Amino acid sequence: MPDHPPSPTACVVGAGPAGLLLALLLGRSGHRVTVLERSPRIDLTRQAGAPVLQPVTLRILERAGLLDELRRGAGEIRSGEVSVRGREVARYAYRDLPGVPLPFALTVPVTTLRGALLDAVGELPGVELRLGAEVTRLEGGTGARREIVVRDGAGTHVLRPRFVVGCDGKFSTVRRLAGVPAHVFSYDRGYLDFLVPAPPDWGPRITMHFSDDAYVLSMPYPGNRLIVVWITREQRVDAALAAPFAGLAGTLTAAAPELAEVFTPPVTTRDWAGVPHRQVQHHRVRPDRWLDGNVLLIGDSAHAMHAFGGQGLNTSLQDAAWAAEGIARATDSGSLEYLEEVLRLRVPFIEDFQEMQRVTLVPQSGEQAPQHGTALPDFLPMVLGQPELRPLWAGVSEGARL
């Protein structure tokens, strides 16, 4: 492979959902994109969670032509119930929320989303996906236009894109090679999710229970199942996994009484080997900057966060939409002004959300953890996205402008 092929508009490092969506949006706008993925193959069979994709994110995916396919392999949520310390404080239907772009949210397995994006990207002749491609160097100084050095099975190659986009996770290689310092905070707040059969009358709803030492979330999952999420002290999660499943079922039923209809004897008599589950370690990432010369960080590379509030994948996919718009504008105009304008809005919004998570989950001495879920307006930015960027979310495939 020659070292001097036509330069792509962007080299996207990381073939996760955000990187693939960015490649799809740029490719459909006529830009050449090279997606570099370090893994030699993409495994779409392993369990990797099913985040809630909120209406604002679903609108982006709808305009990308993916929503109908995703709905076939997703759990649907049309309403929610929120309780704090055993008292219901809010009940809502998505259709009644002001300005909501779609009247539902979806629990979409990450593998389902990634597969749909891979299929769509594979149809674009201007988008190249290279598997087993490791980024080894970024040539050029801080703030300059970097070349990217890639090693794969065919040797070492140099690419000269207009932009290098780091979508390669919370421990981003692109971020490190670009010399962008980042503060990485490790949560010791335990996280466990597992799948159980859904009772016949559960319906398309999500329930949220907040207490002083735990958060229980239950929502539809594909295949007539529920995914139950438990966020509490790490030691409690470890202890629950070391004991029979029935013990945790009792704990969660006490916190979320509606789960009594879920944890019937055929379920509670199982051991953990018969209950699909994941225990996840979360981190908060805050780089000094998201843009350095022609290097742009989005998604977890720019702002990994805890699962509390369910905004990690949502914000990453929303990043892909504004990044596609910003890269296209910069390519046309030769100016970074639009990207810099978006980042002036985006970075404080994300960091405020990260701080809310930290104060809620790990309050320091003298800090009062907020009772989230007690006021519906706190929920609206999660459903509708960042207010200043909503016009872009609503019309991303139509060249919307801020």
Side-chain angles (χ1 to χ4, degrees), residues 14 82 94 122 125 135 162 212 219 222 225 259 274-275 279 293 346:
V82 184
Y94 275 105
V135 178
R162 293 291 302 272
D212 291 334
M219 53 194 172
R225 292 174 289 177
L259 290 179
V275 180
Q279 186 177 13
R346 189 67 168 164

Side-chain angles (χ1 to χ4, degrees), residues 9 12 16 30 38 40 42 61 91 96 101 178 180 185 205 238 245 266 284 303 309 328 342 376 381 387 400:
T9 298
V12 176
R38 181 172 59 183
I42 295 176
L61 295 169
R91 183 182 289 261
D96 296 333
V180 176
F185 170 79
R205 64 176 174 134
D238 291 341
F245 178 70
R284 184 184 76 178
H303 53 70
V342 171
L376 192 56

Side-chain angles (χ1 to χ4, degrees), residues 184-266:
V184 180
F185 170 79
S186 298
Y187 282 97
D188 62 0
R189 193 74 164 180
Y191 175 99
L192 175 69
D193 67 34
F194 57 89
L195 298 175
V196 290
D201 59 347
W202 185 271
R205 64 176 174 134
I206 184 172
T207 66
M208 294 161 274
H209 290 266
F210 298 82
S211 64
D212 291 334
D213 63 353
Y215 170 49
V216 181
L217 175 73
S218 306
M219 53 194 172
Y221 187 89
N224 197 32
R225 292 174 289 177
L226 292 184
I227 183 168
V228 180
V229 176
W230 187 40
I231 298 175
T232 186
R233 296 189 305 276
E234 186 175 17
Q235 296 86 342
R236 293 185 74 192
V237 172
D238 291 341
L241 289 172
F245 178 70
L248 177 59
T251 297
L252 297 187
T253 300
E258 71 274 7
L259 290 179
E261 59 181 328
V262 175
F263 295 133
T264 56

Side-chain angles (χ1 to χ4, degrees), residues 318-393:
Q318 292 158 26
D319 283 350
W322 63 252
E325 178 73 12
I327 289 171
R329 287 201 192 193
T331 301
D332 291 342
S333 67
S335 170
L336 298 176
E337 182 178 357
Y338 179 85
L339 280 172
E340 291 168 344
E341 176 190 355
V342 171
L343 291 173
R344 281 192 293 270
L345 300 170
R346 189 67 168 164
V347 174
F349 177 84
I350 293 293
E351 290 187 349
D352 285 349
F353 187 83
Q354 288 177 316
E355 186 64 6
M356 178 278 291
Q357 291 180 316
R358 186 199 62 76
V359 172
T360 302
L361 297 170
V362 193
Q364 297 176 353
S365 177
E367 289 182 329
Q368 179 64 41
Q371 293 182 14
H372 286 278
T374 60
L376 192 56
D378 291 341
F379 180 64
L380 291 181
M382 302 182 194
V383 174
L384 303 176
Q386 184 173 351
E388 299 91 341
L389 298 179
R390 286 173 194 168
L392 176 61
W393 310 150

Side-chain angles (χ1 to χ4, degrees), residues 88-249:
E88 185 176 287
V89 298
R91 183 182 289 261
Y92 62 88
Y94 275 105
R95 67 172 182 268
D96 296 333
L97 299 176
V100 69
L102 293 166
F104 56 85
L106 296 177
T107 50
V108 180
V110 173
T111 50
T112 299
L113 174 60
R114 203 176 184 192
L117 286 163
L118 282 167
D119 288 343
V121 164
E123 297 174 356
L124 298 176
V127 178
E128 177 191 16
L129 172 61
R130 298 189 188 181
L131 299 178
E134 181 181 3
V135 178
T136 60
R137 294 197 312 277
L138 293 179
E139 300 286 1
T142 299
R145 179 171 173 177
R146 269 66 165 252
E147 298 176 346
I148 184 167
V149 181
V150 181
R151 182 174 60 227
D152 59 22
T156 298
H157 316 282
V158 179
L159 301 175
R160 298 173 176 84
R162 293 291 302 272
F163 283 90
V164 177
V165 187
C167 304
D168 52 340
K170 55 192 175 183
F171 302 118
S172 169
T173 296
V174 169
R175 190 178 67 226
R176 175 177 58 82
L177 294 176
V180 176
H183 179 262
V184 180
F185 170 79
S186 298
Y187 282 97
D188 62 0
R189 193 74 164 180
Y191 175 99
L192 175 69
D193 67 34
F194 57 89
L195 298 175
V196 290
D201 59 347
W202 185 271
R205 64 176 174 134
I206 184 172
T207 66
M208 294 161 274
H209 290 266
F210 298 82
S211 64
D212 291 334
D213 63 353
Y215 170 49
V216 181
L217 175 73
S218 306
M219 53 194 172
Y221 187 89
N224 197 32
R225 292 174 289 177
L226 292 184
I227 183 168
V228 180
V229 176
W230 187 40
I231 298 175
T232 186
R233 296 189 305 276
E234 186 175 17
Q235 296 86 342
R236 293 185 74 192
V237 172
D238 291 341
L241 289 172
F245 178 70
L248 177 59

